Amino acid sequence: MVMEIANASSPEAFILLGFSLRPSLETILFVLVLGFYVVSLLGNGTIILVSCVDVHLHTPMYFFLANLSSLDIGFTTSIIPQLLVNLWGPQKTISYGGFMSYDRFAAICRPLQYSIIMHPWLCLSLAFISWLGGLINSMVGSTLTMLLPLCGNNRIDHFLCEMPLIMQLACVDTSLNEVEMYVASFIFAVLPLGLILVSYGHIACAVLKISSAEGRRKAFNTCSSHVAVVALFYGSIIFMYLQPAKSNSHERGKFLALFYTVVTPMLNPLIYTLRNKDVKKALRQIDVGSLCCFLAQSF
């Protein structure tokens, strides 16, 4: 009965206004977003490939980095093609069912681990928990949002169907949805960010004990770039999901959303992996024969 009521008052499609109020910006954004998307696919795809092919990279660190790359590819592919379509032409709609493709996910990557502690079973368990947690969060949040009656409202002042924006279209009280969103945001954004910052705090303390000034400088340069990407990703998400559901800061929200949907998935492989000497060595050693052998074993 609830589903029938929701369907009766819900539109068949949403109109994503995106950046239509700034038409001169759409062409520029199309080129930039397309470039970031291609780099993201190539970078993350390369990480997955070398992590599977090179046996020297079969370690906990690269296992989690490969999972992060898989998440980035899936996340960006569920959002950016639709964004590119909206930026390029007059078609700025997305089907009501298509909203379900925008899922929320969480992945905590702890790159400094020892294989003795991080045994394969623990690695698989942690990866499974991360994927399962993101799936459950997505299903619960999306289902509760889809059940909201919208009374025919279908104009979204954004380039994707974020849950807070759908709540603003609802013609009923959304308190339950807001509570669920705030709790999920704390569990999947605020808490992981806190844990990551605490872990890097411990790393900073360890780095300060390094006797070599050059060693400290290299370690801090690496950690600072990691923290910058983490802060950029989680900061923009926290701003989007922990502000009041009826907030009108749409313009800022659009540009911040570009960071966690487009920019950080492209930066992750560049910051975490492709600058790594082990990965560079693995890329130089990969030949056609080893690649064909890997593909044959996979299929």
Side-chain angles (χ1 to χ4, degrees), residues 123-133:
C123 292
L124 289 172
S125 300
L126 291 175
F128 176 76
I129 291 172
S130 296
W131 284 88
L132 182 63

Side-chain angles (χ1 to χ4, degrees), residues 8-9 13 40 108 138 146 155 215 235 243 265 269 272 281:
S9 58
S40 176
I108 302 176
S138 173
M146 292 287 284
R155 297 175 67 86
Q243 64 178 325
Y272 288 112
K281 181 180 179 181

Side-chain angles (χ1 to χ4, degrees), residues 238-257:
I238 289 173
F239 175 85
M240 186 71 188
Y241 279 84
L242 288 183
Q243 64 178 325
K246 300 299 182 182
S247 173
N248 293 318
S249 56
H250 292 163
E251 287 302 312
R252 282 185 298 172
K254 293 176 191 176
F255 288 100
L256 283 174

Side-chain angles (χ1 to χ4, degrees), residues 91-287:
Q91 183 69 19
K92 300 184 182 299
T93 61
I94 182 173
S95 66
Y96 190 66
F99 161 70
M100 295 298 288
S101 69
Y102 297 110
D103 58 354
R104 305 277 60 85
F105 70 93
I108 302 176
C109 185
R110 301 281 300 276
L112 299 181
Q113 296 286 0
Y114 294 97
S115 58
I116 297 177
I117 301 174
M118 302 298 293
H119 52 83
W121 179 247
L122 180 58
C123 292
L124 289 172
S125 300
L126 291 175
F128 176 76
I129 291 172
S130 296
W131 284 88
L132 182 63
L135 177 62
I136 293 175
N137 178 44
S138 173
M139 292 180 63
V140 172
S142 299
T143 301
L144 290 176
T145 305
M146 292 287 284
L147 290 175
L148 291 173
L150 305 181
C151 302
N153 299 322
N154 70 336
R155 297 175 67 86
I156 300 177
D157 189 13
H158 212 286
F159 61 84
L160 54 86
C161 295
E162 292 280 22
M163 287 188 288
L165 302 172
I166 304 296
M167 293 180 198
Q168 294 180 18
L169 302 180
C171 50
V172 295
D173 180 48
T174 59
S175 298
L176 176 62
N177 298 75
E178 292 182 39
V179 170
E180 185 276 333
M181 183 180 68
Y182 294 147
V183 171
S185 298
F186 177 80
I187 295 174
F188 291 99
V190 178
L191 186 59
L193 177 60
L195 293 174
I196 292 172
L197 293 179
V198 169
S199 70
Y200 274 105
H202 287 292
I203 293 172
C205 292
V207 170
L208 290 174
K209 297 178 182 178
I210 298 176
S211 57
S212 169
E214 181 67 16
R216 288 197 302 269
R217 186 186 64 81
K218 290 183 178 180
F220 275 123
N221 285 341
T222 301
C223 290
S224 61
S225 60
H226 291 182
V227 173
V229 174
V230 168
L232 183 66
F233 178 75
Y234 281 105
S236 55
I237 284 184
I238 289 173
F239 175 85
M240 186 71 188
Y241 279 84
L242 288 183
Q243 64 178 325
K246 300 299 182 182
S247 173
N248 293 318
S249 56
H250 292 163
E251 287 302 312
R252 282 185 298 172
K254 293 176 191 176
F255 288 100
L256 283 174
L258 286 174
F259 283 106
Y260 68 82
T261 58
V262 179
V263 178
T264 53
M266 186 274 296
L267 291 177
N268 281 337
L270 300 178
I271 296 296
Y272 288 112
T273 309
L274 295 181
R275 297 193 309 170
N276 189 299
K277 62 180 181 181
D278 293 332
V279 175
K280 292 180 180 178
K281 181 180 179 181
L283 286 172
R284 288 194 296 266
Q285 292 179 345
I286 290 179
D287 54 24

